[in-house]
């Protein structure tokens, strides 16, 4: 693999991460799933200094996530939109261009819609969570697809809110 | 905003009766402050789990009400709770949520809690161990010994949780406070060590009480069926479609069904399928509450089991769980049992808050009164049991057994302060200390559960009998529950004597209850050496057990020989040689001048000859005293005005009609020496049972006793009157090698026989004493001489 093709893959990976952020911001689950391999696995984790352990808050494979999204209309939901601010820090291409890993920072804001008292709260933006994305990609014909995403949150105080991928 | 509820339970939040918004806000704030003072600073709070501070010097910080606290694990493994505030200037000391003091910090020495402002240092028990410039700055006006961190009442239990009570005088002990509320899940959460594997917290914009009451609405689908004193209640899953008859099988990874216990004022233990979820509330303001969520799993989980539990947990309790719509039931109304739950909860809340509204009644009285009212099952006891036994001791259980065997058909209730079913005590100083909880769990229960059911004996554990009213014929149990009786039998046993200098010293133990044995066993697993004060049977049995574990064992006996009060001199010499052969250091005729400890942990003893013995742990076995305070307080005659055994007649009846005393707590008026043994427990139980059922009193049997040390079994029959100069012993060889017996005589009369590793001779000796035969003392040493039917008769 030439340096030029490696750079090209890196750029594609950056783009797919940003496109994912947009799709997730829009709750456009289908567009996001289209960017994921069938073997995709998603998790939200956090390390708790309180109990000195790494924890998993949410996890599922692609099939489970699709099922969960289909059930969303039957769930009570905080409708306040989430906005992801993502910066891709590192991309490492491996296996002669067949796979890659990326680390990105993510800050997610919540723009209040319903809240406790929408009369007062709606319209306000609040910091929701902070953390990092740890992504793994499968690359076929020069095109990356998500194999896994681990959203490592710094938050352990998580007030009632989203119950879908961040 | 939190609701404001008046004494009569009326919600007056936003009521038109309120004359202004300011008044409403003011009252809400007042209610919040009262809740903090009246409730949260007086109840037992599960602040964290023991797995959050696994190792010595680990700590965890938390808060109760508006007080910051720190929970530390001391070097001996004990968990202590302290106020996290420096007594010097009132500054918060430790700010991290969790960590270890083992290593030094920028502003703190290793193994010390150090205030960053002026470097005052404290050990893990809160003792102040260093004050900067103590002498220069304070001269003699101040001593660091007077400046420890405030120690809080702290207990670890009920699934390994650390419970803290801010009050120095809680309205109830932890076991009393919990009562039976956790019993629906106790077996599950106690069957294997747990650890916290999930933690998250959330701030909810509502008052804590609203959050709890809202949570009750979410109990739809759970059938509330158990109410407990102090506002606790338990609900279980009524989903019989998936689980026909079973209960939750946690910690099995395939467990199903749901059991939820709500402890007042807001601590929820929820077994849901294979997961244990525990949530605790901390009010932040009148309209904000923090909820901490912990998920627990067995430490023994495989990776796959842990993963499966995690998925289940997250789907129900995780921060990203779906909030499913409950939907209407067929009749259009949500299924909820919340009205009766809310009522139970609100009544408790009002009761605690009333203390402020009405200073005339003490909180305790109100809670006690509530205890009588809240539990219909207990209330019904007031007209129920006719024979009430205080203490599930050997004597208490034997009494109930004899009573039934005498065809007594009335109700029998036994109240006991211990947790769990009563156990055989003899194994506690022997095999149990060598490890393997199975010995106590399965074999050493005095009676299996089935026995209680078959014999219709109601055993109420964790029940402390506070008082006896002999005129009204009632006893008062936990929380003020009053129980009447026709016949009362006190079988409260005895308590071990303690040396004053050992009280509060870590790694210093006495041995009487299963919990004592458990503590000794745990400490022994981390210790290399032990000092045992007292060379009686308990001390020697413990010495043998711990020596088997490979520990360095030193036994100190103040008398000139071991077993000085209970055995003949030849037998004592035999056992001294036995122990010395096994490597036990025995010191006789010497006292203990000083108990040494470092940072409150036992370090050794200084003998009266000035020599020091260093050791990792101490066990005191210097005898027991009758637990007769209950009787003495009730005006029942005891040996002395300030206590001693309860005096009884030949039918075991005390100075008060229809009140009996049996076992170690009693002594017949014609006896000079109390006998603490299983035999005595059984015999006195038989006598009392016969008296109550109007049967002929059984004949007094010759006392017997046994002891196991190493591979040596001692069996004795009769009581050796030690110290009487006219008593002499004759040794008789055993039938097999290693067997020997010592026959005690007064003149030609056989008094007692002590037999070592020779059961056949023991049976012969017992027959002799039961039939009042006295074998010839001149011939008894001859193995070929038969002591039975030898023609000798005792005068």
């Amino acid at each position: 693999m030439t340096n030029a093709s490696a750079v090209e893959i890196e750029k594609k990976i950056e783009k797919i991460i940003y496109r994912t952020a947009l799709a997730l911001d829009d709750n456009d689950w289908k567009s996001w799933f289209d960017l994921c391999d069938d073997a995709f696995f998603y998790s939200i984790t956090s390390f708790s200094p309180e109990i000195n352990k790494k924890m998993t808050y949410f996890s599922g494979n692609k099939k489970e996530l699709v099922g969960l999204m289909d059930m969303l209309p039957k769930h009570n939901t905080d409708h306040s939109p989430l906005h992801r601010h993502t910066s891709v820090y590192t991309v490492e291409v491996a296996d002669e261009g067949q796979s890659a890993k990326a680390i990105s920072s993510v800050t997610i804001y919540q723009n209040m819609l319903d809240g406790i008292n929408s009369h007062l709260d709606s319209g306000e933006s609040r910091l929701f969570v902070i953390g990092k994305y740890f992504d793994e990609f499968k690359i076929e014909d020069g095109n990356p697809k998500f194999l896994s995403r681990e959203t490592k949150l710094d938050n352990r105080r998580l007030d009632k809110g989203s119950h879908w991928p961040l | 905003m939190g609701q404001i509820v008046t004494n009569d339970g009326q919600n007056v939040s936003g009521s038109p009766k309120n004359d202004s918004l300011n008044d409403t806000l003011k009252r809400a704030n007042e209610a919040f402050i009262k809740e903090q003072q009246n409730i949260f600073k007086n109840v037992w709070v599960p602040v964290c789990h023991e797995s959050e501070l696994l190792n010595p010097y680990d700590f965890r910080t938390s808060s109760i009400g508006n007080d910051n606290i720190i929970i530390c694990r001391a070097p001996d493994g004990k968990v202590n709770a302290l106020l996290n505030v420096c007594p010097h200037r009132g500054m918060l000391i430790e700010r991290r949520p969790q960590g270890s003091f083992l290593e030094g910090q920028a502003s703190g020495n290793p193994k010390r809690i150090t205030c960053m402002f002026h470097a005052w240092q404290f050990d893990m028990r809160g003792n102040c161990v260093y004050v900067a410039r103590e002498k220069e700055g304070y001269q003699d006006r101040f001593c660091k010994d007077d400046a420890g961190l405030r120690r809080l009442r702290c207990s670890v239990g009920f699934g390994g949780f650390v419970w803290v009570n801010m009050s120095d005088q809680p309205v109830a002990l932890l076991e009393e406070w919990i009562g039976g509320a956790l019993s629906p899940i106790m077996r599950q959460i106690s069957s294997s060590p747990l650890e916290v594997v999930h933690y998250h917290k959330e701030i909810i914009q509502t008052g804590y009480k609203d959050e709890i009451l809202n949570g009750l609405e979410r109990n739809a689908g759970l059938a509330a069926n158990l109410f407990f004193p102090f506002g606790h209640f338990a609900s279980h899953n009524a989903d019989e479609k998936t689980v026909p008859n079973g209960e939750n099988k946690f910690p099995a990874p395939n467990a199903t069904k749901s059991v939820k216990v709500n402890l007042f004022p807001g601590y929820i233990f929820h077994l849901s399928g294979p997961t244990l979820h525990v949530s605790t509330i901390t009010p932040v303001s009148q309209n904000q509450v923090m909820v901490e969520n912990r998920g627990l799993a067995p430490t023994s989980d495989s990776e796959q089991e842990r993963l499966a539990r995690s998925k289940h947990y997250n789907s129900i309790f995780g921060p990203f769980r779906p909030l499913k719509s409950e939907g209407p039931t067929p009749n259009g109304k949500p299924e909820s049992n919340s009205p009766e739950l809310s009522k139970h909860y609100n009544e408790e809340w009002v009761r605690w808050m009333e203390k402020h509204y009405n200073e005339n009644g003490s909180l305790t009285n109100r809670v006690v009164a509530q205890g009588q009212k809240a539990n219909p099952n207990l209330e019904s006891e007031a007209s129920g049991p006719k024979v009430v036994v205080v203490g599930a001791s050997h004597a208490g259980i034997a009494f109930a057994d004899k009573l039934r065997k005498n065809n007594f058909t009335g109700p029998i209730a036994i109240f006991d302060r211990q947790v769990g079913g009563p156990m055989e005590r003899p194994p506690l100083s022997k095999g149990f200390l060598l490890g393997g909880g199975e010995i106590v769990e399965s074999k050493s229960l005095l009676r299996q559960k089935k026995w209680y059911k078959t014999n219709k004996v109601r055993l109420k554990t964790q029940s402390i009998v506070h008082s006896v009213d002999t005129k009204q014929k009632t006893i008062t149990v936990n929380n003020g529950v009053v129980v009447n009786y026709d016949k009362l039998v006190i079988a409260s046993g005895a308590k071990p004597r303690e040396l004053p200098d050992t009280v509060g010293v870590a790694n210093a133990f006495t041995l009487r209850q299963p919990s004592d044995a458990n503590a000794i066993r745990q400490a022994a697993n981390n210790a290399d050496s032990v000092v045992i004060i007292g060379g009686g049977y308990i001390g020697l049995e413990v010495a043998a057990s711990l020596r088997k574990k490979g520990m360095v064992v030193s036994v100190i006996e103040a008398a000139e020989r071991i077993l000085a009060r209970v055995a003949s001199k030849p037998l004592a010499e035999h056992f001294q040689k036995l122990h010395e052969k096994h490597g036990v250091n025995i010191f006789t005729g010497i006292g203990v001048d000083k108990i040494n400890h470092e940072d409150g942990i036992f370090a050794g003893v200084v003998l009266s000859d000035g020599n020091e013995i260093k050791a990792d742990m101490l066990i005191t076995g210097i005898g027991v005293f009758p637990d007769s305070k209950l009787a003495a307080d009730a005006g029942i005659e005891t040996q002395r005005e300030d206590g001693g055994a309860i005096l009884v007649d030949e039918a075991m009846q005390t100075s008060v009609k229809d009140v009996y005393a049996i076992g170690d707590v009693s002594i017949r008026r014609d006896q000079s020496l109390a006998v603490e043994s299983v035999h005595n427990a059984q015999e006195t139980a038989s006598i009392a049972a016969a008296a109550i059922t109007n049967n002929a009193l059984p004949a007094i049997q010759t006392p017997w006793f046994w002891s196991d040390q190493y591979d040596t079994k001692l069996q004795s029959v009769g009581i050796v009157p030690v110290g009487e100069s006219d008593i002499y012993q004759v040794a008789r060889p055993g039938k097999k090698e290693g067997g020997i017996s010592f026959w005690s005589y007064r003149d030609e009369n056989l008094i007692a026989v002590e037999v070592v590793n020779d059961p056949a001779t023991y049976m012969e000796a017992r027959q002799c004493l039961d039939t009042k035969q006295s074998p010839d003392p001149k011939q008894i040493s001859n193995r070929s001489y038969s002591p039975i039917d030898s023609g000798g008769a005792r005068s």
Side-chain angles (χ1 to χ4, degrees), chain B residues 48 89 104 109 213 262 270 292 328 342 390 478 590 610 662 686 771:
Chain B
C48 66
R89 296 286 185 191
N109 285 340
L213 295 175
N262 287 54
H270 192 166
E292 288 177 279
S342 303
V390 180
N478 294 351
I590 196 161
I662 57 176
S686 296
T771 56

Side-chain angles (χ1 to χ4, degrees), chain B residues 531-762:
Chain B
V531 165
I532 298 169
I533 300 179
Y537 280 119
I538 289 289
L540 294 180
E541 287 171 359
V542 172
S545 299
L546 298 184
R547 187 71 196 111
K548 274 187 180 177
K549 284 176 90 93
M551 294 177 69
V552 176
V553 179
S554 303
V555 175
I556 300 163
E557 169 58 54
E560 288 304 315
R561 63 173 174 88
I562 59 171
L563 301 173
R565 197 178 68 89
V566 290
S568 68
K569 191 174 178 186
L571 182 77
E573 288 170 351
H574 182 87
F575 271 95
Q576 174 141 356
K577 284 178 190 166
L578 177 72
H579 279 274
E580 287 172 346
K581 182 182 142 195
H582 282 86
V584 173
N585 307 307
I586 295 182
F587 302 84
T588 54
I590 196 161
V592 173
D593 270 4
K594 189 183 173 192
I595 306 292
N596 285 338
H597 50 87
E598 293 170 4
D599 295 345
I601 302 167
F602 173 76
V605 294
V606 177
L607 302 178
S608 52
D609 63 1
N611 285 323
E612 182 181 358
I613 302 175
K614 291 185 177 177
D616 299 325
M617 56 188 287
L618 171 73
I619 296 167
T620 306
I622 53 172
V624 294
F625 62 92
D627 187 2
S628 61
K629 186 172 184 304
L630 181 73
D633 289 349
I636 297 167
E637 193 179 357
T638 53
Q639 281 178 301
R640 301 181 304 276
E641 279 189 10
D642 60 343
I646 301 170
L647 294 170
V648 293
D649 60 18
E650 70 283 355
M652 310 312 294
Q653 188 165 238
T654 68
S655 58
V656 175
K657 188 173 180 292
D658 293 331
V659 179
Y660 296 76
I662 57 176
D664 293 353
V665 75
S666 67
I667 187 167
R668 282 197 291 272
R669 291 176 187 276
D670 57 355
Q671 269 184 316
S672 56
L673 183 68
V675 181
E676 298 122 14
S677 69
V678 172
H679 159 79
N680 181 56
Q682 291 177 346
E683 184 166 74
T684 55
S686 296
I687 294 170
I692 288 173
T693 51
N694 294 319
N695 285 316
L697 301 185
I700 302 288
Q701 289 186 333
T702 313
W704 48 263
F705 177 80
W706 86 96
S707 174
D708 289 331
Q709 295 170 43
Y710 310 105
D711 297 326
T712 299
K713 185 172 193 68
L714 165 72
Q715 293 168 289
S716 71
V717 57
I719 295 175
V720 181
V722 291
E724 294 185 19
S725 58
D726 57 341
I727 301 295
Y728 63 97
Q729 283 82 30
V730 182
R732 177 179 171 86
K735 287 186 177 174
K736 294 179 183 173
E737 190 179 348
I740 191 169
S741 53
F742 302 100
W743 298 63
S744 291
Y745 288 89
R746 176 182 282 121
D747 299 327
E748 303 288 314
N749 291 322
L750 182 65
I751 305 295
V753 183
E754 297 155 315
V755 185
V756 177
N757 287 343
D758 193 356
T761 297
Y762 170 73

